[in-house]
Amino acid sequence: MRGRLGAVAARGRKAKAFLHSSSATSLLGPNLPDVWTVATSSSRSTSSANCGPAQQRPAKILDGNLMAREIRSGIACEVCRVRERLGKSPGLAIVVVGQRKDSHTFVQVKMKACEEVGISTFVKELSEGCSQEELFGVVSRLNRDSSVHGIIVQLPLPQELDEERIIDIVNPAKDVDGFHPMNMGNLAMRGREPFFIPCAPKSCIELLLRSGVEIMGKRAVVVGRSKIVGLPISLLLQRHHATVSTVHAFTKNPDQITREADIVVADVGIPNIVRGSWLKAGAVVVDMGTTQVEELTPDGRKKYRIMGDVCYEEAVEVASAITPVPGGVGPVTISMLLSNTLDSAKRAIKVS
Amino acid sequence: MRGRLGAVAARGRKAKAFLHSSSATSLLGPNLPDVWTVATSSSRSTSSANCGPAQQRPAKILDGNLMAREIRSGIACEVCRVRERLGKSPGLAIVVVGQRKDSHTFVQVKMKACEEVGISTFVKELSEGCSQEELFGVVSRLNRDSSVHGIIVQLPLPQELDEERIIDIVNPAKDVDGFHPMNMGNLAMRGREPFFIPCAPKSCIELLLRSGVEIMGKRAVVVGRSKIVGLPISLLLQRHHATVSTVHAFTKNPDQITREADIVVADVGIPNIVRGSWLKAGAVVVDMGTTQVEELTPDGRKKYRIMGDVCYEEAVEVASAITPVPGGVGPVTISMLLSNTLDSAKRAIKVS
């Protein structure tokens, strides 16, 4: 049962601006509506007529929850073996500054996932007003701490802190988020290997590979080019020898270009921006979007739900396979963080 | 007067493999000929009938020599000003290992260009059999030397030396070639700025911008994805808000995808691979290819000439603008090296 969809509540400076300001339209090109109205379930069912040739049956659902359970079960076994050789559990340090509720929720989710597979966590909480030097000091100590195999600085940081400079001082060999430019550069450059691949992009590829989707030689379109998701996904798909096009706010005909793709990855942060009509029949669709949307229940109460970038009800009729939101890349992403931390601990064994 | 075009003589492990081995064909997809025969001038003129709709007049030639002269003249003036404030000339160190004739020729060209604009050069020659540690030592001393604002390690290095590890120890703030993964990562990540952009990719964009070619919102296809040219060009075009597709050896229909582009950049290292029929009428074409081809003169003597990746005689009838080879991006690339070295010296003034 779905209530009226209201304003975008989170993730979304970009989403908000787009939904509420017609001046933002130019950023997205002339082929998009002036004011984007998030589709309701009834409008969705009628608009599915705009889709490309319908599949014989709805798309295969790429179940991230199931895949995450399988991956984590494997990781838990490996953690046991690593612990024996290392004499201690692999360790993940999470640095969180201030009291943002969403940040603390994410930290809790990560801690719980670590606990489940036997990875130790060390959470360093700093106050909202902490100085750059104080944060540098904490990260530097974690860089030197041999119990810590992975370091995450939970983003976003308070505006007074220079996010880039802080990411730059994380030891690239412990940068399990894969956000350090050294890791990103090594990901971009063929023939080189980063210590870590960012978790969400890695989960996208993992999901495709585990679902038996062939990437080599396929045309892939990545809708969105954020530096921590869209960009590294483009780089990864190219590493797997797809022919990649990146569609973004300045692209004049995003629907037309996306319709050429065998694999579509959406990471824009605007609910439902990728319509069924944007897809070639039989395309594989990975939805990286996770926008928190406020809804009103029939009895007038507010509730929130997570929405993807792909108009699921339309897409499921056109695509051959699709990730749901939630329950698609999200759970796999957390598994990739565990996997990165495990990999780092394994490297520590080889070094020691 | 053009003689018979023979074997590809240089640049060309890839070009050679493709020209001489039919097994390499699969790497380039089914739409390319099994054995690529480099077109002669007569076959070119007839095959131009395969091109897209002809332009009213041949394409505008983007003259790299002229542009390079303008840029260098500006750099020479700036070097004078920087020298006054710095108390010495900006300095470029070039490390060259072994006796490869082409490497030494490139070093001579770079030294001459530096001299013309007043940049000092320091050439460090090491013997073919030098050890990794010896080379590390030389680079480390240059990293610390305040007279040196830019460091180039002339590639390729002898196979015994680990090219990646040596590039990694160049101080990113002196890496005027822009090959350090830290610089490449910062180039890839929007909102970040690398110390340096690799010279050939920078020259491609410089050439487009100085020729008044609008990049924002245009469809660009980069044919080739080498880590030091094709990849950073894709990243740069995207920084300028083009919608970029990268075509490579695993792309099934490179001609079709390339024909969608307003801007085509070719960096494959195979002469004439981009035919006139690959281009949309009015496209802007930048040819990064520089393959040395052996020719026989009518009296049977060998001579060499540089050939681009684009079948010029065909393309010039379809494109709205095109760079010739030689005399296109080549001279501008050297200017970008001078520009990077100058920028580094300017930063040194700000720091001191």
Side-chain angles (χ1 to χ4, degrees):
Chain A
M1 171 89 183
R2 204 168 274 120
R4 186 177 63 78
L5 299 177
V8 171
R11 194 193 172 182
R13 262 187 303 172
K14 200 170 173 186
K16 271 186 184 163
F18 186 66
L19 283 160
H20 297 301
S21 157
S22 61
S23 69
T25 314
S26 62
L27 286 179
L28 283 137
N31 290 347
L32 287 167
D34 276 1
V35 178
W36 182 266
T37 313
V38 179
T40 62
S41 61
S42 61
S43 70
R44 279 177 191 172
S45 56
T46 53
S47 62
S48 67
N50 297 328
C51 298
Q55 296 288 292
Q56 284 305 307
R57 50 189 168 77
K60 178 182 169 191
I61 310 306
L62 305 178
D63 184 343
N65 283 318
L66 180 66
M67 215 171 280
R69 275 197 297 276
E70 284 170 14
I71 297 169
R72 289 182 202 194
S73 148
I75 289 175
C77 290
E78 284 207 68
V79 165
C80 276
R81 281 202 292 275
V82 167
R83 191 189 297 123
E84 272 178 29
R85 293 194 51 197
L86 202 60
K88 59 190 168 195
S89 297
L92 174 67
I94 308 176
V95 182
V96 57
V97 181
Q99 293 304 320
R100 276 183 70 116
K101 202 176 155 196
D102 55 351
S103 289
H104 281 269
T105 305
F106 288 134
V107 171
Q108 290 299 322
V109 169
K110 290 168 188 174
M111 286 174 69
K112 186 166 172 285
C114 283
E115 195 184 305
E116 279 170 15
V117 298
I119 291 175
S120 304
T121 50
F122 312 95
V123 177
K124 305 285 175 189
E125 296 192 35
L126 285 94
S127 68
E128 179 81 23
C130 87
S131 70
Q132 185 101 342
E133 289 63 38
E134 208 174 332
L135 184 50
F136 277 2
V138 168
V139 173
S140 301
R141 278 192 292 280
L142 294 170
N143 280 341
R144 293 190 299 271
D145 186 339
S146 65
S147 301
V148 171
H149 302 98
I151 302 170
I152 288 176
V153 180
Q154 185 65 45
L155 302 179
L157 290 171
Q159 283 203 327
E160 301 70 38
L161 298 172
D162 185 337
E163 211 162 273
E164 284 185 15
R165 286 190 57 208
I166 287 153
I167 288 170
D168 286 354
I169 67 149
V170 173
N171 178 352
K174 294 190 177 185
D175 167 44
V176 285
D177 262 341
F179 294 166
H180 194 287
M182 186 81 185
N183 281 322
M184 206 65 86
N186 279 324
L187 173 63
M189 296 168 87
R190 281 206 305 155
R192 284 178 169 263
E193 290 301 327
F195 286 110
F196 305 103
I197 294 166
C199 302
K202 193 175 173 181
S203 81
C204 168
I205 302 297
E206 187 75 24
L207 218 140
L208 290 173
L209 295 176
R210 283 180 179 252
S211 307
V213 175
E214 197 185 359
I215 304 177
M216 185 187 289
K218 298 294 178 190
R219 283 201 73 175
V221 165
V222 179
V223 186
R225 51 172 176 166
S226 73
K227 65 183 169 190
I228 56 175
V229 184
L231 164 79
I233 287 175
S234 294
L235 297 172
L236 274 168
L237 285 167
Q238 200 173 112
R239 279 210 166 214
H240 286 269
H241 308 302
T243 300
V244 183
S245 305
T246 306
V247 161
H248 50 72
F250 292 88
T251 301
K252 292 208 178 96
N253 45 353
D255 51 339
Q256 188 185 323
I257 297 174
T258 308
R259 215 159 30 235
E260 291 162 9
D262 305 301
I263 298 167
V264 174
V265 182
D267 177 57
V268 190
I270 303 176
N272 289 347
I273 191 166
V274 176
R275 308 295 297 248
S277 60
W278 286 37
L279 303 173
K280 180 166 84 174
V284 175
V285 180
V286 181
D287 190 345
M288 309 296 293
T290 52
T291 307
Q292 200 179 356
V293 177
E294 190 181 297
E295 291 183 358
L296 287 182
T297 60
D299 58 350
R301 283 180 299 121
K302 280 183 187 172
K303 66 170 191 174
Y304 294 93
R305 69 180 186 109
I306 300 295
M307 287 188 71
D309 292 343
V310 177
C311 183
Y312 184 85
E313 287 82 347
E314 289 179 10
V316 80
E317 300 295 327
V318 190
S320 63
I322 186 168
T323 60
V325 175
V329 287
V332 185
T333 297
I334 300 284
S335 304
M336 293 303 104
L337 173 64
L338 306 176
S339 159
N340 278 352
T341 308
L342 173 64
D343 286 348
S344 185
K346 284 185 187 168
R347 277 196 286 264
I349 295 171
K350 282 188 192 140
V351 171
S352 65
Chain B
M1 172 90 183
R2 203 168 276 120
R4 187 177 62 78
L5 298 178
V8 171
R11 195 195 169 180
R13 262 185 303 171
K14 201 171 174 185
K16 271 185 183 161
F18 186 67
L19 283 158
H20 297 300
S21 157
S22 61
S23 69
T25 315
S26 62
L27 286 179
L28 284 137
N31 289 346
L32 287 168
D34 276 0
V35 177
W36 182 267
T37 313
V38 178
T40 62
S41 60
S42 61
S43 69
R44 278 178 191 172
S45 57
T46 52
S47 62
S48 67
N50 298 329
C51 298
Q55 296 288 292
Q56 284 303 308
R57 52 190 166 75
K60 177 183 168 190
I61 310 306
L62 305 178
D63 184 343
N65 284 317
L66 179 66
M67 216 171 279
R69 276 198 295 277
E70 285 170 12
I71 296 170
R72 289 183 202 194
S73 149
I75 289 175
C77 290
E78 284 207 70
V79 166
C80 276
R81 280 201 293 276
V82 167
R83 191 189 297 123
E84 272 178 28
R85 292 194 52 196
L86 202 60
K88 59 191 168 195
S89 297
L92 174 68
I94 308 176
V95 183
V96 56
V97 182
Q99 293 304 319
R100 278 182 70 116
K101 202 175 154 195
D102 55 350
S103 289
H104 281 268
T105 305
F106 288 134
V107 171
Q108 290 300 323
V109 169
K110 289 168 187 172
M111 285 175 70
K112 185 165 172 286
C114 283
E115 196 183 305
E116 279 170 13
V117 298
I119 291 175
S120 304
T121 50
F122 312 95
V123 177
K124 304 286 175 189
E125 295 192 36
L126 285 94
S127 67
E128 181 80 21
C130 87
S131 69
Q132 185 102 343
E133 290 63 38
E134 208 174 333
L135 185 50
F136 278 2
V138 168
V139 173
S140 301
R141 278 191 293 281
L142 293 171
N143 279 342
R144 292 190 299 270
D145 187 338
S146 65
S147 299
V148 171
H149 302 98
I151 301 170
I152 288 177
V153 180
Q154 186 65 44
L155 302 179
L157 291 171
Q159 283 202 327
E160 301 71 37
L161 298 172
D162 186 337
E163 212 163 272
E164 284 185 15
R165 285 191 58 210
I166 287 153
I167 288 170
D168 286 355
I169 66 149
V170 174
N171 178 351
K174 293 189 177 186
D175 166 43
V176 284
D177 262 341
F179 294 166
H180 194 289
M182 186 81 185
N183 282 321
M184 206 64 87
N186 278 324
L187 173 62
M189 297 168 87
R190 281 206 306 154
R192 284 179 170 263
E193 291 301 328
F195 286 111
F196 304 103
I197 294 167
C199 301
K202 194 175 173 181
S203 81
C204 167
I205 302 298
E206 187 75 24
L207 218 141
L208 291 172
L209 295 177
R210 282 181 179 252
S211 307
V213 175
E214 197 184 1
I215 303 176
M216 185 187 288
K218 299 294 178 191
R219 283 201 72 175
V221 165
V222 180
V223 186
R225 51 171 176 167
S226 72
K227 65 183 168 190
I228 57 175
V229 183
L231 164 79
I233 288 176
S234 294
L235 297 172
L236 274 168
L237 285 167
Q238 200 173 114
R239 280 212 165 210
H240 284 270
H241 307 302
T243 300
V244 183
S245 304
T246 306
V247 161
H248 50 74
F250 292 88
T251 301
K252 292 209 179 99
N253 46 354
D255 51 339
Q256 188 186 324
I257 296 173
T258 307
R259 216 160 28 235
E260 292 163 8
D262 305 301
I263 299 168
V264 174
V265 182
D267 177 58
V268 190
I270 302 176
N272 290 347
I273 192 166
V274 176
R275 309 293 299 246
S277 60
W278 287 35
L279 303 173
K280 179 166 85 174
V284 175
V285 180
V286 182
D287 190 345
M288 309 296 292
T290 52
T291 307
Q292 202 179 353
V293 178
E294 190 181 298
E295 290 183 0
L296 287 182
T297 60
D299 57 350
R301 284 180 297 121
K302 280 182 188 174
K303 67 170 191 174
Y304 294 93
R305 69 180 186 107
I306 300 296
M307 288 189 70
D309 292 344
V310 178
C311 182
Y312 185 85
E313 287 83 347
E314 289 179 11
V316 79
E317 300 295 328
V318 190
S320 63
I322 187 168
T323 59
V325 175
V329 288
V332 185
T333 296
I334 301 286
S335 304
M336 293 303 103
L337 173 64
L338 306 176
S339 158
N340 278 353
T341 309
L342 173 64
D343 286 349
S344 185
K346 284 184 188 169
R347 277 195 287 264
I349 296 172
K350 281 187 193 141
V351 171
S352 64

